[in-house]
């Protein structure tokens, strides 16, 4: 692209352009990254959750990806404060969230989530169910208390994702994002470290992608053809930062091609620092490679606007502000299409308005105390 920044700032010129994802037009390139907040007692997102998302849409976030929200399977989650994407009351709460974001001028997709073998002792209604995963192995390599998924487990979970996607369309969301990242269930299948299956769902990268691809295909059949399906994935795992799904672009392509063929409309490539090259001999990041290999719109993420990666944020560390010139350079080269922002937006609901209004001097550093409220 060529950007002429006359009266508008360079950031606004680059980030204000609309983008089509299948049948959806997102008004600009700024995405709110999915962030678990634990403010939904009984799995029901209430008025505070609604206004939290709407505030960010009103300030210029083009696409909200909600916090991970559990699909309707007994082992999908463990916390009773994480919102659920099933159940009458829960979906009624979500419908109001979607309505509020739309009224504020934004678009919104729920991030559909099954945590798999990450599950430890759950709270009701997840208290008694076993943790399940491809091989009953946890991300740290231990066997824990879970079990390998049977054929009927696979069918039940595929069905739960499809039902959640259909519900999303029915109650007014603009698409869905499948959580295939960070060492949770779908990623446990993609990654050889947790997938030791000897049936059709384990083995080479294509076989390890089969479960996720079947979820994508079944979701695709359960929603309208133009309803966007976004797939989030990562190399790193919450419990293994240096883990990698793919050591080369060829290995990455083996994973992405079946997902694309199954009907993914856009990829969300999760990294902890967007400026790091993914493979040797190229400075493309993971989103850049994903776009090149799939020709689908891609979202980048990871320490946008901040210096200091988010893993340290969980242990209570803050992060100073960092400029976004490198990000804008990459978008100007069409390396990727959209940018997701996590902690900077959690900290400051006005972040998008400040970027689009060239008010960089007003940016706030990230303070982990922000996790304690839904401001
Ligand atoms: C409090 C918090 C909760 C998160 N929860 C999720 C989640 O539910 N799903 C997900 O895919 N990523 C989750 N992430 C990761 C973010 O989406 C994002 O990838 C990460 O924070 C890096 O972006 P940032 O550096 O802009 O914060 C979470 C991050 C934070 C800080």
């Amino acid at each position: 692209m060529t950007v002429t920044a006359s009266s508008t700032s360079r950031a606004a010129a680059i980030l204000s352009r609309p983008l089509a994802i299948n049948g959806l037009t997102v008004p600009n390139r700024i995405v709110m990254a999915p962030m678990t907040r634990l403010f939904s007692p009984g799995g029901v997102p209430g008025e505070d959750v609604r206004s939290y998302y709407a505030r960010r849409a009103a300030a210029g976030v083009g696409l909200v990806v909600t916090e991970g929200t559990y699909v309707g399977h007994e082992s999908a989650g463990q916390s009773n404060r994480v919102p659920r994407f099933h159940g009458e009351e829960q979906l009624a709460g979500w419908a109001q969230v979607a309505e509020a974001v739309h009224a504020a001028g934004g678009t919104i997709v729920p991030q559909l989530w099954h945590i798999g073998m990450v599950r430890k002792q759950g709270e009701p209604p997840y208290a008694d169910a076993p943790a399940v995963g491809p091989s009953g192995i946890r991300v740290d390599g231990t066997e824990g208390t879970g079990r390998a998924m049977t054929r009927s487990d696979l069918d039940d979970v595929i069905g739960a994702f499809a039902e959640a996607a259909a519900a999303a369309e029915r109650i007014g969301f603009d698409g869905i994002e499948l959580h295939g990242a960070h060492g949770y269930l779908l990623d446990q299948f993609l990654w050889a470290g947790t997938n030791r299956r000897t049936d059709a769902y384990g083995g080479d990268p294509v076989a390890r992608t089969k479960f996720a691809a079947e979820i994508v295909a079944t979701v695709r059949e359960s929603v309208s053809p133009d309803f966007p399906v976004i797939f989030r994935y990562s190399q790193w795992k919450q419990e293994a930062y240096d883990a990698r799904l793919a050591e080369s672009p060829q290995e990455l392509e083996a994973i992405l091609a079946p997902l694309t063929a199954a009907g993914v409309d856009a990829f969300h490539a999760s990294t902890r620092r967007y400026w790091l090259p993914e493979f040797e001999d190229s400075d493309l990041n993971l989103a850049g490679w994903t776009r090149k290999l799939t020709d689908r719109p891609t979202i980048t993420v990871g320490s946008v606007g901040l210096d200091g990666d988010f893993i340290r944020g969980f242990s209570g560390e803050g992060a100073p502000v960092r400029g976004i010139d490198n990000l804008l350079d990459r978008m100007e080269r069409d390396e990727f299409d959209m940018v997701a922002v996590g902690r900077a937006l959690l900290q400051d609901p006005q972040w998008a308005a400040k970027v689009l209004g060239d008010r960089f001097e007003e940016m706030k550093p990230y303070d982990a105390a922000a996790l304690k409220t839904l401001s």
Side-chain angles (χ1 to χ4, degrees):
M1 65 167 286
T2 310
V3 171
T4 45
S6 46
S7 53
T8 37
S9 75
R10 179 168 175 251
I14 292 171
L15 294 169
S16 298
R17 297 165 300 147
L19 181 79
I21 303 178
N22 197 345
L24 172 70
T25 301
V26 182
N28 66 37
R29 305 300 175 104
I30 302 177
V31 178
M32 180 170 179
M35 284 178 287
T36 296
R37 299 305 317 272
L38 303 165
F39 282 91
S40 299
V44 181
E47 198 285 322
D48 50 352
V49 174
R50 192 186 321 155
S51 50
Y52 161 79
Y53 286 121
R55 224 172 355 261
R56 283 148 179 88
V61 168
L63 173 65
V64 171
V65 181
T66 72
E67 60 207 286
T69 170
Y70 299 146
V71 297
H73 181 256
E74 58 170 10
S75 301
Q78 62 187 352
S79 168
N80 197 30
R81 297 184 65 80
V82 166
R84 305 203 270 279
F85 215 80
H86 59 99
E88 207 173 315
E89 214 188 330
Q90 290 78 5
L91 291 176
W94 276 124
Q96 290 188 319
V97 173
E99 195 180 318
V101 167
H102 289 154
T107 62
I108 181 165
V109 300
Q111 188 193 48
L112 304 181
W113 193 19
H114 190 304
I115 69 175
M117 291 299 300
V118 170
R119 210 178 105 77
K120 293 181 180 137
Q121 182 56 49
E123 297 167 358
Y126 300 104
D128 300 323
V132 295
S135 305
I137 297 168
R138 300 170 57 81
V139 173
D140 65 8
T142 61
E143 296 207 355
T145 54
R147 67 151 202 265
M149 288 170 77
T150 62
R151 177 70 253 174
S152 72
D153 291 328
L154 297 177
D155 290 340
D156 288 349
V157 171
I158 292 170
F161 275 99
E163 268 178 38
E169 183 170 26
R170 193 172 65 242
I171 67 175
F173 279 79
D174 298 296
I176 57 116
E177 176 171 285
L178 295 170
H179 193 342
H182 306 169
Y184 296 106
L185 182 67
L186 274 57
D187 192 26
Q188 289 160 23
F189 273 84
L190 296 176
W191 188 47
T194 35
N195 185 344
R196 316 262 171 90
R197 292 178 82 99
T198 52
D199 63 3
Y201 295 88
D204 66 17
V206 175
R208 296 199 305 270
T209 308
K210 185 174 164 61
F211 181 55
E214 285 183 359
I215 291 175
V216 172
T218 311
V219 160
R220 187 76 279 159
E221 284 164 14
S222 310
V223 295
S224 303
D226 63 352
F227 191 70
V229 174
I230 303 171
F231 192 90
R232 189 175 223 220
Y233 81 100
S234 63
Q235 297 261 39
W236 65 273
K237 324 288 160 217
Q238 192 82 46
E239 295 168 55
Y241 304 150
D242 298 326
R244 285 167 78 77
L245 290 181
E247 294 294 344
S248 65
Q250 292 71 25
E251 280 181 22
L252 185 60
E253 191 170 19
I255 294 167
L256 298 179
L259 294 170
T260 311
V264 169
D265 297 304
F267 285 96
H268 190 171
S270 170
T271 53
R272 291 156 57 202
R273 301 177 202 90
Y274 73 84
W275 55 88
L276 295 183
E278 194 55 46
F279 301 114
E280 282 175 4
D281 303 326
S282 160
D283 73 349
L284 290 182
N285 76 7
L286 188 64
W289 274 107
T290 304
R291 188 182 202 266
K292 186 179 160 95
L293 295 169
T294 66
D295 212 22
R296 291 286 188 274
T298 64
I299 306 169
T300 197
V301 66
S303 302
V304 172
L306 296 175
D307 221 345
D309 102 40
F310 85 100
I311 294 295
R312 285 185 279 156
F314 280 124
S315 55
E317 273 189 51
V321 172
R322 173 190 166 98
I324 62 165
D325 283 343
N326 181 293
L327 178 82
L328 297 176
D329 292 345
R330 288 167 183 268
M331 291 191 86
E332 212 163 27
R333 298 199 291 266
D334 289 329
E335 181 176 333
F336 39 73
D337 303 279
M338 304 188 88
V339 52
V341 181
R343 289 161 304 149
L345 257 174
L346 191 157
Q347 176 76 42
D348 184 0
Q350 294 299 316
W351 189 89
K354 290 178 184 174
V355 168
L356 296 170
D358 216 12
R359 292 156 49 201
F360 287 94
E361 68 291 347
E362 295 176 40
M363 291 299 185
K364 297 178 181 170
Y366 173 69
D367 179 344
L371 289 171
K372 298 200 179 94
T373 65
L374 264 187
S375 59

